[in-house]
Amino acid sequence: MRKEHESTATNIFLSSVIALGIILRFVWVGKREFWYDEVLSVLFASGQKNAYQIPENTPFNLVEISALLGQRTGENPVTAIKDVLKGILGDPHPPLSYLGEALWLRLFGNSELAMRSLILGVSLVALGVAYFVGRRVLGHRGGLIFTALLSLNPFFLAHSLNLRMYAPMVLWVLLSAGCLLMLVDIEKRETTDSYPARKRQIQTWMLRGGIVIALAAGLLTQYLFAYWLFAIAALALYLDRQRWLQHGLTISAGILLFMPWFLWGTLQQINNRKDVLNQISAVGGPLQSALAHVMGLAQTLANHLFLGHLTTGMSPLQEPIKPTAVALGCGVIGFLAVCINDLFRRRQYKILTISVLMGLLPLVVALVIDVVANKYTLGFGWGRSAMVALPGCVLLIAAWLELGTGRWRMPLTALLLAVYLSVNVMDFEGRDRQMFHKIQATQPADSEPVLVVMNSQAWGHVLRLAYYPPAANTELLAVDPANVVEALDAALSAKDYSRVLWLRAEKPLWGAPAS
């Protein structure tokens, strides 16, 4: 009777935590303004990226750019899709997320709430699939622990409200893994009267189709989803080595579905955005390069499993937080080693192997490829590029909590969830992300012309200001930092403005002051 009471209390607690994670997503969906990459997503989704152009060293009306961030009137759907695809040929990402956002924009508008609701919905579906995967591997309680951890995981929660392609990557990883786990179980079951061969055949084909679609969707969402292909291939071989050929063909079918875009779009993107490869190139000698790779791994794990987005823009801790993240990442690596050791000592070999293959193998593959290719993808974007490893790493921690902690299971689970909640509160409530709304509030209500001067021509900076225009009659002078004085002098000589607002970009991008 006591065990039943404890089980009920545990289920209620974990379900409440999952519900809290869902509620916080709705509460915080509009907490932040669109950041640099998010507003680029809006432009790509509108299909008007190729129309974006700003004059050199000359003021222009922000309305001209604001109009590019919404749907065009009388737009043909086929033309819209073509324009989206043509626009992203100058971007280093595949088309699926942009196409989904384009549909969402045309259905619900381009507001923060409307656009982010798509990613929020994807994250909720991912949590549902996470319980299915966790229950398959760890049982009902373990599935709840896994889902609760993922629901409050600071990195996943932040990206659940981020209009980019990273939360969908988690969904495609979990969906393909869940289909594979169920497929292996079905194919190992014996045919009986209550479970006829035809029923098993239909389920088998449906699950293989789910794997194919999830893998193709993942590759069409983010190119570095390819790291997950190594993990799911290894997982298939471990779980069902006898059917290696069928599983190999299934994974290959997912890759083949991606190939039309690769042959038409990816090759053009590589040619158009060669600068991206330079950005991720490792620098320095062998020792410096090796240190950078190790630091990238540590920082990625710290962000994935502890810090979330606290590492981004934490003034005045922006620079000190980077080595701190590396140090904390070393601690996270040590914690994962404890989890692995405890599960191994308890002879939980199958669960341990599944978790390691899903979580750590993609990181190892990324690290090896980076070293061989002399690139730096693992730590790029604060760990966003390695998002495919997040579900497996969280599953490893959930497995340890469920199987390796004994009577300390729930206190330790509650402690970790409390840490996650605290980090999320610090991130979303402790930082002000409403800068452009404040700029709007400072502007006069009259129609007198206002000039905004900005020491950057970076399109993310320009687009953010255009999305949150200070006033209807606002002109923007966006110039290279070295040309600000001359361009401003010419603009003020040519026209009288009621107010001049100076915006200084801390990181102007693609330009540096002359003095």
Side-chain angles (χ1 to χ4, degrees):
M1 195 71 180
R2 183 179 177 183
K3 287 185 177 180
E4 291 180 5
H5 178 73
E6 290 178 354
S7 177
T8 302
T10 298
N11 290 342
I12 292 174
F13 170 72
L14 294 172
S15 300
S16 299
V17 170
I18 296 169
L20 176 62
I22 294 172
I23 292 170
L24 289 177
R25 282 164 168 79
F26 285 97
V27 171
W28 286 334
V29 67
K31 187 69 176 178
R32 298 170 172 172
E33 294 174 336
F34 281 140
W35 68 295
Y36 192 100
D37 284 358
E38 283 184 294
V39 78
L40 295 185
S41 292
V42 178
L43 178 64
F44 283 119
S46 74
Q48 302 185 75
K49 182 265 177 182
N50 289 336
Y52 174 85
Q53 188 174 4
I54 60 174
E56 189 75 20
N57 298 334
T58 304
F60 60 92
N61 199 307
L62 273 175
V63 173
E64 301 172 14
I65 303 300
S66 300
L68 301 180
L69 297 172
Q71 181 182 4
R72 291 169 291 189
T73 56
E75 186 179 40
N76 182 287
V78 176
T79 303
I81 294 174
K82 289 182 179 179
D83 289 341
V84 172
L85 293 177
K86 289 177 182 177
I88 65 174
L89 293 179
D91 188 67
H93 297 290
L96 187 59
S97 288
Y98 295 130
L99 290 173
E101 291 161 6
L103 173 62
W104 215 252
L105 183 149
R106 284 152 182 81
L107 290 176
F108 304 107
N110 69 340
S111 69
E112 293 172 351
L113 177 61
M115 295 300 292
R116 284 182 176 148
S117 65
L118 171 62
I119 304 301
L120 189 155
V122 167
S123 75
L124 298 184
V125 176
L127 290 177
V129 180
Y131 170 71
F132 173 81
V133 173
R135 188 184 64 185
R136 282 269 163 185
V137 179
L138 302 172
H140 171 66
R141 184 177 59 198
L144 287 177
I145 292 175
F146 174 50
T147 310
L149 288 173
L150 194 61
S151 71
L152 287 185
N153 176 271
F155 201 72
F156 183 55
L157 197 153
H159 283 291
S160 298
L161 304 176
N162 182 350
L163 189 62
R164 296 295 284 170
M165 60 287 298
Y166 305 107
M169 290 172 67
V170 173
L171 173 60
W172 303 131
V173 165
L174 289 169
L175 187 60
S176 57
C179 287
L180 178 63
L181 291 169
M182 189 173 179
L183 176 66
V184 170
D185 287 346
I186 287 176
E187 290 189 328
K188 289 184 176 181
R189 287 174 61 182
E190 295 182 1
T191 301
T192 62
D193 292 339
S194 61
Y195 188 67
R198 180 171 177 78
K199 180 180 178 181
R200 181 168 78 172
Q201 188 178 31
I202 293 173
Q203 291 179 335
T204 297
W205 279 105
M206 289 180 64
L207 290 169
R208 289 199 182 280
I211 295 172
V212 170
I213 292 172
L215 295 182
L219 291 170
L220 288 168
T221 298
Q222 224 275 357
Y223 289 122
L224 294 182
F225 183 86
Y227 293 146
W228 171 247
L229 298 180
F230 293 89
I232 196 170
L235 193 61
L237 286 175
Y238 171 72
L239 295 173
D240 192 11
R241 189 176 293 105
Q242 292 180 343
R243 296 178 180 83
W244 65 270
L245 180 59
Q246 292 95 314
H247 297 314
L249 291 174
T250 300
I251 295 171
S252 299
I255 299 173
L256 285 175
L257 276 183
F258 163 74
M259 290 308 294
W261 166 256
F262 175 81
L263 296 173
W264 182 80
T266 306
L267 297 180
Q268 294 186 65
Q269 288 180 320
I270 293 173
N271 185 59
N272 294 335
R273 293 301 307 272
K274 293 179 180 177
D275 60 301
V276 174
L277 296 177
N278 295 330
Q279 291 177 25
I280 61 174
S281 296
V283 295
L287 182 60
Q288 184 180 358
S289 178
L291 181 61
H293 289 309
V294 174
M295 291 174 63
L297 175 62
Q299 180 179 281
T300 295
L301 282 170
N303 294 341
H304 277 199
L305 300 177
F306 183 49
L307 290 172
H309 260 203
L310 278 182
T311 49
T312 61
M314 277 195 63
S315 298
L317 302 178
Q318 196 161 355
E319 291 306 317
I321 197 67
K322 295 177 182 178
T324 303
V326 173
L328 290 173
C330 294
V332 171
I333 292 173
F335 173 60
L336 293 178
V338 170
C339 296
I340 293 171
N341 181 64
D342 281 358
L343 290 172
F344 185 82
R345 284 194 303 105
R346 293 174 183 269
R347 300 184 178 181
Q348 298 291 340
Y349 303 130
K350 182 178 180 180
I351 292 173
L352 173 60
T353 303
I354 291 173
S355 302
V356 168
L357 291 179
M358 287 182 61
L360 299 185
L361 181 60
L363 295 176
V364 172
V365 170
L367 182 61
V368 171
I369 292 177
D370 279 357
V371 171
V372 172
N374 201 34
K375 298 297 180 184
Y376 183 66
T377 64
L378 184 54
F380 189 74
W382 303 97
R384 297 191 299 268
S385 300
M387 196 79 169
V388 293
L390 177 63
C393 290
V394 175
L395 182 64
L396 176 59
I397 296 173
W400 175 72
L401 289 170
E402 171 65 13
L403 302 169
T405 55
R407 61 191 179 91
W408 294 100
R409 178 189 300 111
M410 291 317 299
L412 289 173
T413 301
L415 176 62
L416 182 53
L417 290 171
V419 170
Y420 276 2
L421 180 60
S422 300
V423 172
N424 285 317
V425 170
M426 285 190 290
D427 186 13
F428 281 91
E429 298 294 340
R431 293 196 285 178
D432 185 8
R433 297 293 185 89
Q434 297 290 327
M435 181 182 73
F436 289 97
H437 283 92
K438 291 182 177 179
I439 295 173
Q440 286 178 327
T442 64
Q443 298 310 296
D446 55 42
S447 59
E448 291 296 317
V450 174
L451 178 65
V452 178
V453 186
M454 185 165 60
N455 64 327
S456 172
Q457 291 182 307
W459 59 339
H461 293 158
V462 174
L463 288 169
R464 289 182 74 194
L465 188 62
Y467 186 86
Y468 306 98
N473 195 17
T474 301
E475 294 184 7
L476 174 63
L477 177 63
V479 295
D480 185 277
N483 302 327
V484 170
V485 175
E486 293 81 2
L488 179 58
D489 183 55
L492 295 179
S493 300
K495 185 175 181 178
D496 289 330
Y497 294 94
S498 64
R499 177 175 291 193
V500 176
L501 184 64
W502 162 242
L503 294 184
R504 181 182 66 85
E506 185 177 351
K507 297 181 179 179
L509 302 179
W510 312 315
S515 63

PDB file of all heavy atoms in Angstrom, residues 222-233:
ATOM      1  N   GLN A 222      18.383  20.795 -40.688  1.00  0.00           N
ATOM      2  CA  GLN A 222      19.716  21.295 -40.333  1.00  0.00           C
ATOM      3  C   GLN A 222      20.743  20.299 -40.841  1.00  0.00           C
ATOM      4  O   GLN A 222      20.630  19.105 -40.599  1.00  0.00           O
ATOM      5  CB  GLN A 222      19.840  21.458 -38.820  1.00  0.00           C
ATOM      6  CG  GLN A 222      20.506  22.750 -38.375  1.00  0.00           C
ATOM      7  CD  GLN A 222      22.033  22.659 -38.352  1.00  0.00           C
ATOM      8  OE1 GLN A 222      22.604  21.601 -38.618  1.00  0.00           O
ATOM      9  NE2 GLN A 222      22.700  23.757 -38.041  1.00  0.00           N
ATOM     10  N   TYR A 223      21.763  20.791 -41.555  1.00  0.00           N
ATOM     11  CA  TYR A 223      22.717  19.882 -42.187  1.00  0.00           C
ATOM     12  C   TYR A 223      23.477  19.024 -41.182  1.00  0.00           C
ATOM     13  O   TYR A 223      23.783  17.854 -41.451  1.00  0.00           O
ATOM     14  CB  TYR A 223      23.701  20.672 -43.047  1.00  0.00           C
ATOM     15  CG  TYR A 223      23.074  21.242 -44.304  1.00  0.00           C
ATOM     16  CD1 TYR A 223      23.098  22.612 -44.549  1.00  0.00           C
ATOM     17  CD2 TYR A 223      22.454  20.423 -45.232  1.00  0.00           C
ATOM     18  CE1 TYR A 223      22.521  23.143 -45.693  1.00  0.00           C
ATOM     19  CE2 TYR A 223      21.872  20.938 -46.376  1.00  0.00           C
ATOM     20  CZ  TYR A 223      21.907  22.303 -46.605  1.00  0.00           C
ATOM     21  OH  TYR A 223      21.326  22.821 -47.735  1.00  0.00           O
ATOM     22  N   LEU A 224      23.792  19.581 -40.008  1.00  0.00           N
ATOM     23  CA  LEU A 224      24.558  18.816 -39.030  1.00  0.00           C
ATOM     24  C   LEU A 224      23.707  17.780 -38.309  1.00  0.00           C
ATOM     25  O   LEU A 224      24.204  17.078 -37.431  1.00  0.00           O
ATOM     26  CB  LEU A 224      25.215  19.761 -38.022  1.00  0.00           C
ATOM     27  CG  LEU A 224      26.290  20.672 -38.627  1.00  0.00           C
ATOM     28  CD1 LEU A 224      26.932  21.537 -37.551  1.00  0.00           C
ATOM     29  CD2 LEU A 224      27.359  19.862 -39.352  1.00  0.00           C
ATOM     30  N   PHE A 225      22.436  17.665 -38.684  1.00  0.00           N
ATOM     31  CA  PHE A 225      21.634  16.518 -38.263  1.00  0.00           C
ATOM     32  C   PHE A 225      22.297  15.221 -38.733  1.00  0.00           C
ATOM     33  O   PHE A 225      22.022  14.143 -38.183  1.00  0.00           O
ATOM     34  CB  PHE A 225      20.225  16.634 -38.846  1.00  0.00           C
ATOM     35  CG  PHE A 225      19.289  15.537 -38.422  1.00  0.00           C
ATOM     36  CD1 PHE A 225      18.574  15.627 -37.241  1.00  0.00           C
ATOM     37  CD2 PHE A 225      19.101  14.410 -39.209  1.00  0.00           C
ATOM     38  CE1 PHE A 225      17.697  14.614 -36.846  1.00  0.00           C
ATOM     39  CE2 PHE A 225      18.230  13.395 -38.831  1.00  0.00           C
ATOM     40  CZ  PHE A 225      17.530  13.500 -37.638  1.00  0.00           C
ATOM     41  N   ALA A 226      23.173  15.332 -39.726  1.00  0.00           N
ATOM     42  CA  ALA A 226      23.873  14.151 -40.244  1.00  0.00           C
ATOM     43  C   ALA A 226      24.640  13.413 -39.150  1.00  0.00           C
ATOM     44  O   ALA A 226      24.865  12.198 -39.257  1.00  0.00           O
ATOM     45  CB  ALA A 226      24.828  14.563 -41.368  1.00  0.00           C
ATOM     46  N   TYR A 227      25.051  14.119 -38.077  1.00  0.00           N
ATOM     47  CA  TYR A 227      25.719  13.427 -36.974  1.00  0.00           C
ATOM     48  C   TYR A 227      24.815  12.359 -36.357  1.00  0.00           C
ATOM     49  O   TYR A 227      25.305  11.339 -35.856  1.00  0.00           O
ATOM     50  CB  TYR A 227      26.124  14.433 -35.885  1.00  0.00           C
ATOM     51  CG  TYR A 227      27.199  15.405 -36.304  1.00  0.00           C
ATOM     52  CD1 TYR A 227      27.206  16.717 -35.825  1.00  0.00           C
ATOM     53  CD2 TYR A 227      28.225  15.022 -37.162  1.00  0.00           C
ATOM     54  CE1 TYR A 227      28.195  17.614 -36.190  1.00  0.00           C
ATOM     55  CE2 TYR A 227      29.213  15.912 -37.541  1.00  0.00           C
ATOM     56  CZ  TYR A 227      29.196  17.212 -37.058  1.00  0.00           C
ATOM     57  OH  TYR A 227      30.177  18.094 -37.429  1.00  0.00           O
ATOM     58  N   TRP A 228      23.516  12.589 -36.387  1.00  0.00           N
ATOM     59  CA  TRP A 228      22.579  11.628 -35.822  1.00  0.00           C
ATOM     60  C   TRP A 228      22.523  10.347 -36.662  1.00  0.00           C
ATOM     61  O   TRP A 228      22.212   9.272 -36.134  1.00  0.00           O
ATOM     62  CB  TRP A 228      21.184  12.242 -35.705  1.00  0.00           C
ATOM     63  CG  TRP A 228      20.113  11.264 -35.336  1.00  0.00           C
ATOM     64  CD1 TRP A 228      19.073  10.849 -36.108  1.00  0.00           C
ATOM     65  CD2 TRP A 228      19.977  10.558 -34.087  1.00  0.00           C
ATOM     66  NE1 TRP A 228      18.298   9.939 -35.439  1.00  0.00           N
ATOM     67  CE2 TRP A 228      18.827   9.741 -34.189  1.00  0.00           C
ATOM     68  CE3 TRP A 228      20.712  10.543 -32.905  1.00  0.00           C
ATOM     69  CZ2 TRP A 228      18.403   8.920 -33.153  1.00  0.00           C
ATOM     70  CZ3 TRP A 228      20.284   9.716 -31.869  1.00  0.00           C
ATOM     71  CH2 TRP A 228      19.148   8.929 -31.992  1.00  0.00           C
ATOM     72  N   LEU A 229      22.832  10.420 -37.934  1.00  0.00           N
ATOM     73  CA  LEU A 229      22.794   9.231 -38.781  1.00  0.00           C
ATOM     74  C   LEU A 229      23.756   8.163 -38.267  1.00  0.00           C
ATOM     75  O   LEU A 229      23.455   6.965 -38.313  1.00  0.00           O
ATOM     76  CB  LEU A 229      23.143   9.596 -40.230  1.00  0.00           C
ATOM     77  CG  LEU A 229      22.192  10.570 -40.930  1.00  0.00           C
ATOM     78  CD1 LEU A 229      22.682  10.837 -42.354  1.00  0.00           C
ATOM     79  CD2 LEU A 229      20.769  10.029 -40.954  1.00  0.00           C
ATOM     80  N   PHE A 230      24.921   8.582 -37.789  1.00  0.00           N
ATOM     81  CA  PHE A 230      25.874   7.630 -37.225  1.00  0.00           C
ATOM     82  C   PHE A 230      25.284   6.972 -35.983  1.00  0.00           C
ATOM     83  O   PHE A 230      25.452   5.760 -35.763  1.00  0.00           O
ATOM     84  CB  PHE A 230      27.184   8.343 -36.859  1.00  0.00           C
ATOM     85  CG  PHE A 230      27.946   8.863 -38.032  1.00  0.00           C
ATOM     86  CD1 PHE A 230      27.710  10.142 -38.521  1.00  0.00           C
ATOM     87  CD2 PHE A 230      28.901   8.080 -38.666  1.00  0.00           C
ATOM     88  CE1 PHE A 230      28.411  10.631 -39.605  1.00  0.00           C
ATOM     89  CE2 PHE A 230      29.618   8.552 -39.755  1.00  0.00           C
ATOM     90  CZ  PHE A 230      29.372   9.834 -40.232  1.00  0.00           C
ATOM     91  N   ALA A 231      24.592   7.757 -35.167  1.00  0.00           N
ATOM     92  CA  ALA A 231      24.025   7.231 -33.920  1.00  0.00           C
ATOM     93  C   ALA A 231      22.903   6.240 -34.191  1.00  0.00           C
ATOM     94  O   ALA A 231      22.852   5.162 -33.587  1.00  0.00           O
ATOM     95  CB  ALA A 231      23.513   8.382 -33.055  1.00  0.00           C
ATOM     96  N   ILE A 232      21.982   6.575 -35.096  1.00  0.00           N
ATOM     97  CA  ILE A 232      20.851   5.674 -35.331  1.00  0.00           C
ATOM     98  C   ILE A 232      21.301   4.413 -36.065  1.00  0.00           C
ATOM     99  O   ILE A 232      20.742   3.331 -35.844  1.00  0.00           O
ATOM    100  CB  ILE A 232      19.718   6.395 -36.096  1.00  0.00           C
ATOM    101  CG1 ILE A 232      18.431   5.573 -35.985  1.00  0.00           C
ATOM    102  CG2 ILE A 232      20.090   6.673 -37.549  1.00  0.00           C
ATOM    103  CD1 ILE A 232      17.204   6.281 -36.490  1.00  0.00           C
ATOM    104  N   ALA A 233      22.327   4.526 -36.891  1.00  0.00           N
ATOM    105  CA  ALA A 233      22.865   3.331 -37.541  1.00  0.00           C
ATOM    106  C   ALA A 233      23.492   2.396 -36.504  1.00  0.00           C
ATOM    107  O   ALA A 233      23.271   1.169 -36.530  1.00  0.00           O
ATOM    108  CB  ALA A 233      23.896   3.729 -38.599  1.00  0.00           C
TER     109      ALA A 233
END
